[in-house]
Amino acid sequence: MEVIITYDLYQWLALAWMGIGILVFFYLFIQTAPYGRHTTTSWGPLIDNRLGWFIMEFTVLLVLYGWLLLIRFNLSITSWLMIGLFTFHYLNRSFVFPLRIRTSGKKMPFLIALMAIVFNLMNGSLLGIYFAWFADYPDNWVYDPRFIAGILLFITGMAINWHADTRLINLRKPGETGYKIPHGWLFKYISCPNLFGEIIEWLGFAILTWSLPGVVFFVWTFANLVPRAFAHHRWYRNHFSDYPPNRKAVFPFIW
Ligand code: NDP
């Protein structure tokens, strides 16, 4: 099947989507997305938390690979390396993370899963179309300082994100459902090292791909995670009178 999209149209769609991401950033300071500790029963039907994570996050891989199959699958080795990094992150997020979390019996609004699916449909499409159609990296791109700096940030961010998620998950013994104050390591400085790590990771991806969809994805990640980190931070302060007063929300010593 032949799909035609000009770069001009693609660029406008990507920029419009990024503009929506910036509006969402401000909106999320007013309305916290109700999942995890902020979950609510007032957002309509609920679904199992683990299932929610799986369907929300697996969508992006389905869409990305769907576009590649539809348009072009024989890409440069550099493009495949980039897609591999993205895939590695999302295999963890959609399969491994939901199996590891200790949230038995917990639910999330179906509407939240649906919104995340839309987010992933758009991002997966922008990346899939970009790699299948427009990306044109020379093989020696992997020696470019942008690729090297980007991949170092990506790996550092991913390591922080995974380690922080692991520490948070292990705060609960199997079967427990409550919340505790995390201590030590980056938690000494910020409430949400996992969200900090994820922001660094996608900043790295934007730099290593040096691409519009990379930037758009980073803007959306920032827009989702910074307000969420502030909501988590506020929640900790409201629920624990002995919460460390000097800890910041997401960026050490800053915010
Ligand atoms: P949280 O830090 O709220 O939760 C991570 C896990 O740890 C959950 O299972 C949570 O349980 C548990 N947990 C967290 N804090 C505590 C605590 N103090 N005591 C006991 N258990 C705790 O992360 P989010 O749900 O906000 O995000 C999860 C992951 O998804 C992160 O890695 C984040 O970076 C990523 N993400 C990425 C987005 C993007 O746009 N790229 C958007 C949203 C998330 P419970 O669920 O019961 O609260």
Side-chain angles (χ1 to χ4, degrees):
M1 176 179 161
E2 192 164 359
V3 183
I4 307 267
I5 179 168
T6 64
Y7 192 65
D8 266 0
L9 175 61
Y10 175 84
Q11 227 174 349
W12 280 112
L13 285 173
L15 289 173
W17 180 238
M18 187 167 85
I20 295 173
I22 292 169
L23 295 179
V24 164
F25 171 73
F26 292 108
Y27 180 68
L28 286 178
F29 281 105
I30 304 166
Q31 171 65 62
T32 299
Y35 61 95
R37 78 196 63 195
H38 311 287
T39 198
T40 171
T41 51
S42 62
W43 271 47
L46 302 171
I47 58 167
D48 179 75
N49 196 53
R50 285 197 171 103
L51 177 68
W53 274 105
F54 171 71
I55 58 172
M56 291 191 298
E57 306 294 346
F58 192 55
T59 308
V60 79
L61 291 181
L62 281 182
V63 175
L64 169 68
Y65 283 89
W67 281 110
L68 297 183
L69 281 171
L70 197 65
I71 304 175
R72 184 163 68 106
F73 217 70
N74 64 331
L75 310 175
S76 72
I77 191 82
T78 314
S79 285
W80 274 119
L81 179 57
M82 294 166 177
I83 294 169
L85 294 172
F86 189 88
T87 304
F88 189 56
H89 172 93
Y90 273 99
L91 284 178
N92 171 60
R93 183 64 74 227
S94 51
F95 287 103
V96 183
F97 179 76
L99 290 176
R100 291 178 66 217
I101 49 180
R102 293 179 176 164
T103 58
S104 52
K106 196 158 192 163
K107 296 195 180 297
M108 69 164 73
F110 176 65
L111 198 55
I112 281 291
L114 206 60
M115 288 161 121
I117 287 171
V118 172
F119 164 71
N120 280 323
L121 273 175
M122 281 304 295
N123 286 315
S125 295
L126 284 177
L127 284 162
I129 293 171
Y130 170 74
F131 280 115
W133 212 318
F134 302 118
D136 185 20
Y137 296 102
D139 284 348
N140 65 2
W141 179 256
V142 293
Y143 301 111
D144 189 288
R146 288 166 289 185
F147 183 86
I148 294 168
I151 201 162
L152 287 175
L153 278 175
F154 184 89
I155 291 169
T156 308
M158 181 182 266
I160 293 174
N161 175 260
W162 281 22
H163 184 64
D165 272 345
T166 301
R167 288 179 83 118
L168 288 169
I169 290 167
N170 289 338
L171 287 174
R172 288 183 188 141
K173 296 191 183 73
E176 278 184 355
T177 51
Y179 291 89
K180 299 168 189 173
I181 302 179
H183 287 287
W185 188 58
L186 284 177
F187 289 101
K188 213 169 141 196
Y189 307 102
I190 47 177
S191 294
C192 305
N194 54 342
L195 309 191
F196 170 67
E198 181 126 5
I199 291 168
I200 301 288
E201 190 179 341
W202 296 113
L203 173 64
F205 191 77
I207 294 173
L208 76 91
T209 58
W210 207 251
S211 67
L212 179 60
V215 172
V216 173
F217 194 77
F218 168 67
V219 168
W220 264 96
T221 300
F222 190 93
N224 273 325
L225 295 187
V226 171
R228 188 158 181 81
F230 275 89
H232 282 8
H233 187 62
R234 211 168 36 242
W235 184 96
Y236 275 124
R237 288 189 160 182
N238 291 339
H239 284 78
F240 297 102
S241 56
D242 55 342
Y243 197 68
N246 295 328
R247 207 176 276 191
K248 301 288 184 192
V250 61
F251 297 116
F253 311 111
I254 305 170
W255 265 1

